[in-house]
Each structure stands twice: as structure tokens, then as C-alpha cells.
Amino acid sequence: MGLFDFFKKKEQTPEAQEALDKGLEKTKEGFFTKITKAVVGKSTVDEEVLDDLEEVLVTSDVGVTTTLKIIERIEDRVARDKYINTSELNGILREEIQELLAENNSNDFENFEYGNHKPYVIMVVGVNGVGKTTTIGKLAHKLKQAGNKVVLGAADTFRAAAVDQIKLWGERVGVRVVAQAMGSDPASVAFDTIQSAVANQEDVAIIDTAGRLHNKLALMNELTKIKNVMKKVVPGAPHEILLVLDASTGQNAIEQCKQFTQATDVNALALTKLDGTAKGGVVIGISDQFKIPVKYIGVGEGINDLQLFNKKEFVDSLFK
Ligand SMILES: Nc1nc2c(ncn2[C@@H]2O[C@H](COP(=O)(O)OP(=O)(O)OP(=O)(O)O)[C@@H](O)[C@H]2O)c(=O)[nH]1
Ligand SMILES: [Mg+2]
């Protein structure tokens, strides 16, 4: 199976489904406890229920913009169907969220066109601690399992431990890591990585970057420099600029998404740490608000805990 087949993969294995369901447990718990409270003693969906529902969505990190769209859709539905029983509310909410997400911009993974880039170059960006390096390790594992030759570039040279951490992932997964000493020029590491990927005929090159520098402007400038050096080796590279966001930070993740998408040409998102957070609703807000597809979700720290994001599957799991 090649790169393209991996990206085409759609069937959710029972194990992955279980990991997703389990990963969303806390989000579900918080969400449905609040909804149950909102409809207690009510038989039909009225103004008051809708007001409470709005609050439930906002406090579940769906975000104000997306919440208002969802409420508007439910209001329309109430106006159309006249009486909606509160027992139907969950089902209706699920349908409306799914339709809202389906209407938006981005396709899910299965429809992605990757072309025949070799090497396919992925540059991974995001603030410190969001899970960039871990996501790279997990992704490398998935790609390798699918039969691809993968190389990792340790272009986070800011922290001493960063180079060691990605090397460790390289060993775990069994893929090559290109690294230089701490403090060396990240753009030079990226250049070396891609040049050697070409020489070795590797299929995918994934470049790690620093999440923190002396200040934000320095970080953004450096990312631009790393990005620009890549196309000198492979025209069109990086093919993917993957922004990693920590879902457990809720609205901060939305804020980071705004900032990074303004500063760099992010064209894919990964949302990590969905397990262990009640803020999973942020995934709905992000997939609604940004014209950039959520491609991956992280549902644990383990090597297998990375999944392709599928809007319908995600919402189904949330409402299970
Ligand atoms: N529970 C959980 N933890 C995760 C997930 N993804 C990453 N982590 C953890 O988050 C922590 C930070 O992850 P890193 O991959 O080091 O983050 P980073 O973005 O590379 O951080 P910097 O290199 O400091 O910029 C680690 O302890 C990871 O194990 C996830 O999906 N679920
Ligand atoms: Mg890192």
C-alpha cells in the first residue's frame, strides 16, 4: 500500500473506533450532563431550551460563531416542525451539526488529492507543547505501516531535548532522522532532510519545528525561512504545512489557529489530546470556522493514537 492508499483509507477499524469513542468520553460526559439539565422538566424545545442549549454549546468550547449557526438551524427547524419533543433534541442536534460541517469548505481526508509528489514534504508547526513531535512520530508510524519510506527532520534546534525526542521517535518507529547539533540553523536541517530524502528516494519527509523562540515574530520569521528553503530542493515543497493544536486548550486553540493561519500558509490541521479533555467541542468549532481541513486527531500518547479525522464519524461518536 502506498502513500495514496493510506490517505484513501476510510474504514474505521473497530480498535480505532473504540479509541475515538473512548477519547471523546469526557467531552460527551460534560456535554450531555449539561443538555440533560437544560431540558429537565421540559417537554418541547422552546425559547428557553434553545437559550440553555446555546449556553451548553458555548461552554463546551464549540465557540460562539459556530454555536450561533447551530442554534439558528435548530430554530428554523422548530419553526418548521412546530413542536419538537425534547427527547428528539439530541438526534436533531447531531443532524444539524453534521449538516453544518458537511456544508463547509473542506473535504474529509478520503477526497484529498495528493498528486504524485515524491518526496511528499510535510512541515509541522504549532506552539510549544501542543504535540508536534508526538504527532510526527505517530504519523511516521502510520505512513511506514502503509509501506512508505519516511524520513524525519529535526528542525527544532532550539531546545536540546527536542532533537533527542525526535530521534527517539525515529528509533521507535524505525525511520531515519536527520539532525544537527542543538542551536544549528533549522532551515539548514530542513534543507539536508529534503535533499537526502531525494537522494534516498524516500516517499515522505516530515519536518519538526520549534514551538517557541525568543518571541513570536522570530518564530514566524523562522518558519518562513524554513519553508522557503524547501522549495529550493523540491519545487512546490512543503506540500503540507500541518498546524498542530492542543484541543484541551479549548478557545486558545482557535486563537492559535487564527494567528498561525495569518502568518503561514497552513493547509492542514491536527487536533491533539482529545482524550482526557472535556473540550472536544472545539473540533466542531474549528472545522466549521476555518477553511482548512482538520486532517488528524490525537486520541492518546501511544504510537497508534493518531486518526484521520472524519466529520461524520466524529459527530456520530460524540452522540453515541
Ligand atoms: N493524552 C495525549 N497526550 C498527547 C497527545 N499528543 C501529544 N501528547 C503529549 O503532549 C506532550 C507534548 O508533546 P510534544 O509532542 O512534545 O509537543 P511539541 O509540540 O513537540 O512541544 P515542543 O517541542 O515543546 O514545541 C507530551 O507529553 C505528549 O505525550 C495526545 O493526543 N493525547
Ligand atoms: Mg517538539
Side-chain angles (χ1 to χ4, degrees):
M1 189 160 76
L3 179 65
F4 192 65
D5 297 317
F6 167 67
F7 288 127
K8 284 283 259 197
K9 171 219 133 172
K10 204 43 254 146
E11 310 291 286
Q12 184 83 319
T13 63
E15 295 79 28
Q17 186 65 53
E18 203 181 309
L20 177 62
D21 293 344
K22 203 165 178 314
L24 290 179
E25 251 168 26
K26 286 212 172 134
T27 298
K28 279 192 248 193
E29 225 175 83
F31 193 53
F32 293 110
T33 311
K34 288 183 210 159
I35 290 192
T36 308
K37 275 193 196 142
V39 300
V40 75
K42 292 272 185 180
S43 57
T44 56
V45 177
D46 58 14
E47 266 311 296
E48 204 185 336
V49 170
L50 285 173
D51 278 353
D52 290 344
L53 182 62
E54 185 175 320
E55 198 183 318
V56 171
L57 291 167
V58 170
T59 56
S60 301
D61 277 276
V62 170
V64 176
T65 319
T66 305
T67 294
L68 292 180
K69 286 194 214 167
I70 296 170
I71 294 295
E72 204 172 292
R73 296 177 79 102
I74 297 183
E75 272 169 356
D76 286 352
R77 195 143 163 178
V78 171
R80 232 178 20 240
D81 301 353
K82 299 290 178 263
Y83 295 102
I84 293 185
N85 204 291
T86 44
S87 63
E88 298 169 73
L89 189 60
N90 284 359
I92 287 174
L93 195 54
R94 192 193 70 218
E95 279 170 32
E96 294 303 331
I97 293 175
Q98 275 174 338
E99 276 177 33
L100 176 72
L101 297 189
E103 273 172 18
N104 108 359
N105 55 69
S106 62
N107 295 321
D108 279 324
F109 230 115
E110 64 222 296
N111 301 324
F112 256 76
E113 288 297 330
Y114 281 85
N116 289 318
H117 303 296
K118 186 171 175 166
Y120 183 75
V121 179
I122 305 173
M123 174 175 164
V124 180
V125 303
V127 307
N128 61 304
V130 289
K132 290 181 297 299
T133 309
T134 309
T135 300
I136 290 171
K138 294 172 185 173
L139 181 58
H141 177 61
K142 278 250 169 354
L143 290 166
K144 192 185 171 201
Q145 273 187 326
N148 297 285
K149 277 172 83 180
V150 182
V151 57
L152 308 181
D156 177 0
T157 59
F158 189 68
R159 277 189 312 121
V163 178
D164 294 337
Q165 195 190 352
I166 196 161
K167 278 186 179 164
L168 206 63
W169 270 107
E171 279 167 28
R172 276 177 84 180
V173 176
V175 300
R176 202 165 68 83
V177 178
V178 174
Q180 293 176 11
M182 180 207 156
S184 55
D185 177 14
S188 149
V189 178
F191 189 89
D192 278 1
T193 309
I194 299 177
Q195 200 170 44
S196 64
V198 173
N200 291 326
Q201 302 198 335
E202 277 148 336
D203 300 296
V204 190
I206 314 178
I207 311 294
D208 196 11
T209 64
R212 180 170 47 96
L213 284 188
H214 308 288
N215 60 58
K216 209 159 70 186
L217 185 66
L219 177 65
M220 295 304 171
N221 286 342
E222 181 175 288
L223 293 179
T224 306
K225 198 175 147 205
I226 298 174
K227 190 187 90 177
N228 288 340
V229 85
M230 296 185 186
K231 54 176 174 270
K232 292 187 184 156
V233 195
V234 173
H239 308 100
E240 184 166 317
I241 300 184
L242 178 67
L243 172 63
V244 180
L245 299 164
D246 176 347
S248 73
T249 63
Q251 295 309 292
N252 271 344
I254 294 194
E255 200 41 51
Q256 284 165 23
C257 194
K258 278 185 195 150
Q259 292 183 1
F260 270 87
T261 49
Q262 275 163 16
T264 56
D265 306 321
V266 174
N267 59 2
L269 303 173
L271 277 149
T272 62
K273 309 191 199 181
L274 276 166
D275 55 304
T277 180
K279 296 177 186 285
V282 73
V283 179
I284 295 172
I286 287 183
S287 27
D288 170 51
Q289 285 178 48
F290 294 92
K291 302 264 173 249
I292 300 165
V294 177
K295 278 195 171 177
Y296 311 102
I297 50 173
V299 292
E301 292 183 282
I303 196 164
N304 285 309
D305 293 328
L306 185 76
Q307 303 198 355
L308 301 177
F309 177 67
N310 177 283
K311 291 180 240 181
K312 182 166 186 308
E313 227 166 62
F314 183 86
V315 179
D316 276 342
S317 173
L318 199 59
F319 280 86
K320 227 180 217 172

mmCIF file with all atom_site columns, all heavy atoms in Angstrom, residues 12-28:
data_model
loop_
_atom_site.group_PDB
_atom_site.id
_atom_site.type_symbol
_atom_site.label_atom_id
_atom_site.label_alt_id
_atom_site.label_comp_id
_atom_site.label_asym_id
_atom_site.label_entity_id
_atom_site.label_seq_id
_atom_site.pdbx_PDB_ins_code
_atom_site.Cartn_x
_atom_site.Cartn_y
_atom_site.Cartn_z
_atom_site.occupancy
_atom_site.B_iso_or_equiv
_atom_site.pdbx_formal_charge
_atom_site.auth_seq_id
_atom_site.auth_comp_id
_atom_site.auth_asym_id
_atom_site.auth_atom_id
_atom_site.pdbx_PDB_model_num
ATOM 1   N N   . GLN A 1 12 ? -13.081 2.718  9.360  1.00 0.00 ? 12 GLN A N   1
ATOM 2   C CA  . GLN A 1 12 ? -12.607 2.854  10.722 1.00 0.00 ? 12 GLN A CA  1
ATOM 3   C C   . GLN A 1 12 ? -12.534 1.454  11.321 1.00 0.00 ? 12 GLN A C   1
ATOM 4   O O   . GLN A 1 12 ? -13.539 0.756  11.391 1.00 0.00 ? 12 GLN A O   1
ATOM 5   C CB  . GLN A 1 12 ? -13.586 3.762  11.500 1.00 0.00 ? 12 GLN A CB  1
ATOM 6   C CG  . GLN A 1 12 ? -13.176 4.069  12.914 1.00 0.00 ? 12 GLN A CG  1
ATOM 7   C CD  . GLN A 1 12 ? -12.183 5.221  13.001 1.00 0.00 ? 12 GLN A CD  1
ATOM 8   O OE1 . GLN A 1 12 ? -11.275 5.323  12.184 1.00 0.00 ? 12 GLN A OE1 1
ATOM 9   N NE2 . GLN A 1 12 ? -12.331 6.068  13.988 1.00 0.00 ? 12 GLN A NE2 1
ATOM 10  N N   . THR A 1 13 ? -11.355 1.019  11.719 1.00 0.00 ? 13 THR A N   1
ATOM 11  C CA  . THR A 1 13 ? -11.247 -0.308 12.325 1.00 0.00 ? 13 THR A CA  1
ATOM 12  C C   . THR A 1 13 ? -11.945 -0.287 13.686 1.00 0.00 ? 13 THR A C   1
ATOM 13  O O   . THR A 1 13 ? -12.070 0.774  14.297 1.00 0.00 ? 13 THR A O   1
ATOM 14  C CB  . THR A 1 13 ? -9.777  -0.711 12.541 1.00 0.00 ? 13 THR A CB  1
ATOM 15  O OG1 . THR A 1 13 ? -9.202  0.217  13.467 1.00 0.00 ? 13 THR A OG1 1
ATOM 16  C CG2 . THR A 1 13 ? -8.981  -0.702 11.248 1.00 0.00 ? 13 THR A CG2 1
ATOM 17  N N   . PRO A 1 14 ? -12.384 -1.444 14.174 1.00 0.00 ? 14 PRO A N   1
ATOM 18  C CA  . PRO A 1 14 ? -13.048 -1.485 15.485 1.00 0.00 ? 14 PRO A CA  1
ATOM 19  C C   . PRO A 1 14 ? -12.156 -0.904 16.589 1.00 0.00 ? 14 PRO A C   1
ATOM 20  O O   . PRO A 1 14 ? -12.639 -0.199 17.465 1.00 0.00 ? 14 PRO A O   1
ATOM 21  C CB  . PRO A 1 14 ? -13.294 -2.973 15.725 1.00 0.00 ? 14 PRO A CB  1
ATOM 22  C CG  . PRO A 1 14 ? -13.266 -3.595 14.378 1.00 0.00 ? 14 PRO A CG  1
ATOM 23  C CD  . PRO A 1 14 ? -12.362 -2.768 13.529 1.00 0.00 ? 14 PRO A CD  1
ATOM 24  N N   . GLU A 1 15 ? -10.849 -1.141 16.491 1.00 0.00 ? 15 GLU A N   1
ATOM 25  C CA  . GLU A 1 15 ? -9.931  -0.630 17.521 1.00 0.00 ? 15 GLU A CA  1
ATOM 26  C C   . GLU A 1 15 ? -9.896  0.895  17.481 1.00 0.00 ? 15 GLU A C   1
ATOM 27  O O   . GLU A 1 15 ? -9.924  1.557  18.514 1.00 0.00 ? 15 GLU A O   1
ATOM 28  C CB  . GLU A 1 15 ? -8.496  -1.150 17.315 1.00 0.00 ? 15 GLU A CB  1
ATOM 29  C CG  . GLU A 1 15 ? -8.312  -2.650 17.474 1.00 0.00 ? 15 GLU A CG  1
ATOM 30  C CD  . GLU A 1 15 ? -8.769  -3.431 16.247 1.00 0.00 ? 15 GLU A CD  1
ATOM 31  O OE1 . GLU A 1 15 ? -8.727  -2.872 15.137 1.00 0.00 ? 15 GLU A OE1 1
ATOM 32  O OE2 . GLU A 1 15 ? -9.206  -4.597 16.417 1.00 0.00 ? 15 GLU A OE2 1
ATOM 33  N N   . ALA A 1 16 ? -9.828  1.436  16.259 1.00 0.00 ? 16 ALA A N   1
ATOM 34  C CA  . ALA A 1 16 ? -9.757  2.895  16.118 1.00 0.00 ? 16 ALA A CA  1
ATOM 35  C C   . ALA A 1 16 ? -11.067 3.532  16.572 1.00 0.00 ? 16 ALA A C   1
ATOM 36  O O   . ALA A 1 16 ? -11.076 4.576  17.214 1.00 0.00 ? 16 ALA A O   1
ATOM 37  C CB  . ALA A 1 16 ? -9.452  3.264  14.673 1.00 0.00 ? 16 ALA A CB  1
ATOM 38  N N   . GLN A 1 17 ? -12.176 2.861  16.239 1.00 0.00 ? 17 GLN A N   1
ATOM 39  C CA  . GLN A 1 17 ? -13.484 3.365  16.651 1.00 0.00 ? 17 GLN A CA  1
ATOM 40  C C   . GLN A 1 17 ? -13.565 3.419  18.180 1.00 0.00 ? 17 GLN A C   1
ATOM 41  O O   . GLN A 1 17 ? -14.030 4.398  18.758 1.00 0.00 ? 17 GLN A O   1
ATOM 42  C CB  . GLN A 1 17 ? -14.588 2.444  16.103 1.00 0.00 ? 17 GLN A CB  1
ATOM 43  C CG  . GLN A 1 17 ? -16.011 2.954  16.345 1.00 0.00 ? 17 GLN A CG  1
ATOM 44  C CD  . GLN A 1 17 ? -16.296 4.252  15.597 1.00 0.00 ? 17 GLN A CD  1
ATOM 45  O OE1 . GLN A 1 17 ? -16.104 4.331  14.392 1.00 0.00 ? 17 GLN A OE1 1
ATOM 46  N NE2 . GLN A 1 17 ? -16.730 5.283  16.318 1.00 0.00 ? 17 GLN A NE2 1
ATOM 47  N N   . GLU A 1 18 ? -13.058 2.372  18.797 1.00 0.00 ? 18 GLU A N   1
ATOM 48  C CA  . GLU A 1 18 ? -13.085 2.303  20.252 1.00 0.00 ? 18 GLU A CA  1
ATOM 49  C C   . GLU A 1 18 ? -12.215 3.411  20.855 1.00 0.00 ? 18 GLU A C   1
ATOM 50  O O   . GLU A 1 18 ? -12.611 4.058  21.828 1.00 0.00 ? 18 GLU A O   1
ATOM 51  C CB  . GLU A 1 18 ? -12.564 0.929  20.685 1.00 0.00 ? 18 GLU A CB  1
ATOM 52  C CG  . GLU A 1 18 ? -13.030 0.523  22.064 1.00 0.00 ? 18 GLU A CG  1
ATOM 53  C CD  . GLU A 1 18 ? -12.454 -0.837 22.449 1.00 0.00 ? 18 GLU A CD  1
ATOM 54  O OE1 . GLU A 1 18 ? -12.597 -1.777 21.635 1.00 0.00 ? 18 GLU A OE1 1
ATOM 55  O OE2 . GLU A 1 18 ? -11.844 -0.924 23.528 1.00 0.00 ? 18 GLU A OE2 1
ATOM 56  N N   . ALA A 1 19 ? -11.056 3.626  20.243 1.00 0.00 ? 19 ALA A N   1
ATOM 57  C CA  . ALA A 1 19 ? -10.152 4.670  20.743 1.00 0.00 ? 19 ALA A CA  1
ATOM 58  C C   . ALA A 1 19 ? -10.798 6.048  20.606 1.00 0.00 ? 19 ALA A C   1
ATOM 59  O O   . ALA A 1 19 ? -10.665 6.902  21.485 1.00 0.00 ? 19 ALA A O   1
ATOM 60  C CB  . ALA A 1 19 ? -8.832  4.631  19.987 1.00 0.00 ? 19 ALA A CB  1
ATOM 61  N N   . LEU A 1 20 ? -11.528 6.239  19.512 1.00 0.00 ? 20 LEU A N   1
ATOM 62  C CA  . LEU A 1 20 ? -12.210 7.519  19.299 1.00 0.00 ? 20 LEU A CA  1
ATOM 63  C C   . LEU A 1 20 ? -13.323 7.694  20.337 1.00 0.00 ? 20 LEU A C   1
ATOM 64  O O   . LEU A 1 20 ? -13.419 8.724  20.999 1.00 0.00 ? 20 LEU A O   1
ATOM 65  C CB  . LEU A 1 20 ? -12.784 7.578  17.877 1.00 0.00 ? 20 LEU A CB  1
ATOM 66  C CG  . LEU A 1 20 ? -13.592 8.825  17.516 1.00 0.00 ? 20 LEU A CG  1
ATOM 67  C CD1 . LEU A 1 20 ? -12.741 10.087 17.586 1.00 0.00 ? 20 LEU A CD1 1
ATOM 68  C CD2 . LEU A 1 20 ? -14.191 8.699  16.112 1.00 0.00 ? 20 LEU A CD2 1
ATOM 69  N N   . ASP A 1 21 ? -14.148 6.654  20.476 1.00 0.00 ? 21 ASP A N   1
ATOM 70  C CA  . ASP A 1 21 ? -15.251 6.722  21.447 1.00 0.00 ? 21 ASP A CA  1
ATOM 71  C C   . ASP A 1 21 ? -14.712 6.989  22.853 1.00 0.00 ? 21 ASP A C   1
ATOM 72  O O   . ASP A 1 21 ? -15.246 7.808  23.595 1.00 0.00 ? 21 ASP A O   1
ATOM 73  C CB  . ASP A 1 21 ? -16.053 5.415  21.447 1.00 0.00 ? 21 ASP A CB  1
ATOM 74  C CG  . ASP A 1 21 ? -16.803 5.202  20.128 1.00 0.00 ? 21 ASP A CG  1
ATOM 75  O OD1 . ASP A 1 21 ? -16.934 6.177  19.364 1.00 0.00 ? 21 ASP A OD1 1
ATOM 76  O OD2 . ASP A 1 21 ? -17.241 4.058  19.868 1.00 0.00 ? 21 ASP A OD2 1
ATOM 77  N N   . LYS A 1 22 ? -13.635 6.302  23.169 1.00 0.00 ? 22 LYS A N   1
ATOM 78  C CA  . LYS A 1 22 ? -13.054 6.442  24.500 1.00 0.00 ? 22 LYS A CA  1
ATOM 79  C C   . LYS A 1 22 ? -12.437 7.833  24.662 1.00 0.00 ? 22 LYS A C   1
ATOM 80  O O   . LYS A 1 22 ? -12.596 8.479  25.689 1.00 0.00 ? 22 LYS A O   1
ATOM 81  C CB  . LYS A 1 22 ? -11.980 5.360  24.693 1.00 0.00 ? 22 LYS A CB  1
ATOM 82  C CG  . LYS A 1 22 ? -11.716 5.063  26.135 1.00 0.00 ? 22 LYS A CG  1
ATOM 83  C CD  . LYS A 1 22 ? -10.937 3.780  26.312 1.00 0.00 ? 22 LYS A CD  1
ATOM 84  C CE  . LYS A 1 22 ? -10.636 3.533  27.778 1.00 0.00 ? 22 LYS A CE  1
ATOM 85  N NZ  . LYS A 1 22 ? -10.131 4.697  28.500 1.00 0.00 ? 22 LYS A NZ  1
ATOM 86  N N   . GLY A 1 23 ? -11.772 8.283  23.605 1.00 0.00 ? 23 GLY A N   1
ATOM 87  C CA  . GLY A 1 23 ? -11.136 9.594  23.641 1.00 0.00 ? 23 GLY A CA  1
ATOM 88  C C   . GLY A 1 23 ? -12.138 10.719 23.838 1.00 0.00 ? 23 GLY A C   1
ATOM 89  O O   . GLY A 1 23 ? -11.823 11.745 24.423 1.00 0.00 ? 23 GLY A O   1
ATOM 90  N N   . LEU A 1 24 ? -13.354 10.502 23.364 1.00 0.00 ? 24 LEU A N   1
ATOM 91  C CA  . LEU A 1 24 ? -14.361 11.570 23.456 1.00 0.00 ? 24 LEU A CA  1
ATOM 92  C C   . LEU A 1 24 ? -15.214 11.464 24.722 1.00 0.00 ? 24 LEU A C   1
ATOM 93  O O   . LEU A 1 24 ? -16.118 12.271 24.934 1.00 0.00 ? 24 LEU A O   1
ATOM 94  C CB  . LEU A 1 24 ? -15.256 11.550 22.217 1.00 0.00 ? 24 LEU A CB  1
ATOM 95  C CG  . LEU A 1 24 ? -14.586 11.991 20.920 1.00 0.00 ? 24 LEU A CG  1
ATOM 96  C CD1 . LEU A 1 24 ? -15.552 11.923 19.750 1.00 0.00 ? 24 LEU A CD1 1
ATOM 97  C CD2 . LEU A 1 24 ? -14.060 13.417 21.058 1.00 0.00 ? 24 LEU A CD2 1
ATOM 98  N N   . GLU A 1 25 ? -14.900 10.475 25.558 1.00 0.00 ? 25 GLU A N   1
ATOM 99  C CA  . GLU A 1 25 ? -15.738 10.229 26.738 1.00 0.00 ? 25 GLU A CA  1
ATOM 100 C C   . GLU A 1 25 ? -15.962 11.469 27.602 1.00 0.00 ? 25 GLU A C   1
ATOM 101 O O   . GLU A 1 25 ? -17.089 11.791 27.952 1.00 0.00 ? 25 GLU A O   1
ATOM 102 C CB  . GLU A 1 25 ? -15.117 9.125  27.598 1.00 0.00 ? 25 GLU A CB  1
ATOM 103 C CG  . GLU A 1 25 ? -15.912 7.845  27.533 1.00 0.00 ? 25 GLU A CG  1
ATOM 104 C CD  . GLU A 1 25 ? -15.150 6.663  28.138 1.00 0.00 ? 25 GLU A CD  1
ATOM 105 O OE1 . GLU A 1 25 ? -14.287 6.876  29.007 1.00 0.00 ? 25 GLU A OE1 1
ATOM 106 O OE2 . GLU A 1 25 ? -15.426 5.536  27.693 1.00 0.00 ? 25 GLU A OE2 1
ATOM 107 N N   . LYS A 1 26 ? -14.882 12.162 27.927 1.00 0.00 ? 26 LYS A N   1
ATOM 108 C CA  . LYS A 1 26 ? -15.020 13.315 28.835 1.00 0.00 ? 26 LYS A CA  1
ATOM 109 C C   . LYS A 1 26 ? -15.835 14.427 28.195 1.00 0.00 ? 26 LYS A C   1
ATOM 110 O O   . LYS A 1 26 ? -16.630 15.086 28.862 1.00 0.00 ? 26 LYS A O   1
ATOM 111 C CB  . LYS A 1 26 ? -13.641 13.850 29.231 1.00 0.00 ? 26 LYS A CB  1
ATOM 112 C CG  . LYS A 1 26 ? -12.954 12.948 30.220 1.00 0.00 ? 26 LYS A CG  1
ATOM 113 C CD  . LYS A 1 26 ? -12.081 13.737 31.160 1.00 0.00 ? 26 LYS A CD  1
ATOM 114 C CE  . LYS A 1 26 ? -11.573 12.814 32.271 1.00 0.00 ? 26 LYS A CE  1
ATOM 115 N NZ  . LYS A 1 26 ? -10.152 12.955 32.526 1.00 0.00 ? 26 LYS A NZ  1
ATOM 116 N N   . THR A 1 27 ? -15.597 14.643 26.905 1.00 0.00 ? 27 THR A N   1
ATOM 117 C CA  . THR A 1 27 ? -16.355 15.682 26.195 1.00 0.00 ? 27 THR A CA  1
ATOM 118 C C   . THR A 1 27 ? -17.839 15.334 26.239 1.00 0.00 ? 27 THR A C   1
ATOM 119 O O   . THR A 1 27 ? -18.685 16.168 26.548 1.00 0.00 ? 27 THR A O   1
ATOM 120 C CB  . THR A 1 27 ? -15.876 15.782 24.732 1.00 0.00 ? 27 THR A CB  1
ATOM 121 O OG1 . THR A 1 27 ? -14.504 16.151 24.742 1.00 0.00 ? 27 THR A OG1 1
ATOM 122 C CG2 . THR A 1 27 ? -16.658 16.816 23.956 1.00 0.00 ? 27 THR A CG2 1
ATOM 123 N N   . LYS A 1 28 ? -18.122 14.068 25.936 1.00 0.00 ? 28 LYS A N   1
ATOM 124 C CA  . LYS A 1 28 ? -19.518 13.607 25.931 1.00 0.00 ? 28 LYS A CA  1
ATOM 125 C C   . LYS A 1 28 ? -20.160 13.788 27.286 1.00 0.00 ? 28 LYS A C   1
ATOM 126 O O   . LYS A 1 28 ? -21.270 14.290 27.385 1.00 0.00 ? 28 LYS A O   1
ATOM 127 C CB  . LYS A 1 28 ? -19.559 12.103 25.619 1.00 0.00 ? 28 LYS A CB  1
ATOM 128 C CG  . LYS A 1 28 ? -19.438 11.788 24.164 1.00 0.00 ? 28 LYS A CG  1
ATOM 129 C CD  . LYS A 1 28 ? -19.782 10.338 23.932 1.00 0.00 ? 28 LYS A CD  1
ATOM 130 C CE  . LYS A 1 28 ? -18.558 9.581  23.519 1.00 0.00 ? 28 LYS A CE  1
ATOM 131 N NZ  . LYS A 1 28 ? -18.788 8.267  22.992 1.00 0.00 ? 28 LYS A NZ  1
#
